[in-house]
Amino acid sequence: MARRTEWPGSDAEPAPDSDAGPDYGTGSGGGFGEAAGRRARSRSRSSGSPSSSRAEKGEPRDPVEQARNICLRLLTGTPRTRKQLADALRKREIPDEAAEEVLSRFEDVGLIDDAAFADAWVESRHHSRGLARRALVRELRTKGVDSAVIDEAIGQLDSEQEEETARELVVRKLRSTRGLDRDRRLRRLAGMLARKGYGEGMALRVVRQALEDEGEDTEGLDEPF
């Protein structure tokens, strides 16, 4: 039976790095003579077992405790989704049962909160990078956030706010396209919006308005690009 571990509360402090743990060096035995002692110490240093190596690094042998420490280190200063942590534990070859126990407990105490993660992600990435809802959905899916949680987080953005952000992005980029012909300006500006997840119709409308404001002839720009 695996030993019980002590779980953190919501105000838990991160565990110290396991590499900074105590050093369990091996001492020499007596009764074998000085030469034999030197040979024994040499063999101990050169051919230690994996378990003794882990002990020297201070790593816990209980997989639940290992999983707990890994998750706490990864969560230090950086929120992560349950899937991100599960992937990290799998990469470290933590048994599935131990990983599930730790991840579920961390959710119970609020150290893992995919809904809060998604809300913060949408807020940050939309305002700092100007990403549209389509791009934000794609990013959150790659991080393993549930579709219902994504829909709720994306609901923070309405179409008017999204279009206003698209206009701001075009205005900032517009100056660097001056001197190019109209069609090249259109492709460059619309391509920038497309990479950020904006739909074709909105991109064309926003770019056309920006070019008109500069006195550019936009006749014929009603066609999809």
Side-chain angles (χ1 to χ4, degrees), residues 182-183 186 204 208 211 216-224:
R182 186 198 67 178
D183 289 345
L186 170 66
L204 178 60
R208 177 174 180 169
L211 294 176
E216 189 82 67
D217 179 13
T218 62
E219 185 177 356
L221 290 185
D222 293 323
E223 296 297 326

Side-chain angles (χ1 to χ4, degrees), residues 68-137:
R68 175 181 178 275
N69 287 349
I70 291 168
C71 288
L72 284 174
R73 286 199 299 271
L74 291 175
L75 288 168
T76 301
T78 306
R80 298 176 190 267
T81 66
R82 178 172 177 136
K83 181 181 184 298
Q84 287 177 304
L85 293 172
D87 289 344
L89 294 178
R90 191 174 300 112
K91 185 176 181 180
R92 294 287 296 272
E93 299 182 348
I94 300 297
D96 290 343
E97 184 177 351
E100 180 66 24
E101 179 180 340
V102 170
L103 294 173
S104 295
R105 181 56 178 167
F106 272 41
E107 279 188 328
D108 289 343
V109 300
L111 293 178
I112 300 175
D113 188 337
D114 281 5
F117 177 96
D119 288 343
W121 188 268
V122 169
E123 176 74 14
S124 172
R125 298 287 281 177
H126 179 73
H127 290 292
S128 67
R129 298 287 303 279
L131 297 186
R133 287 174 291 185
R134 184 184 302 175
L136 293 167
V137 168

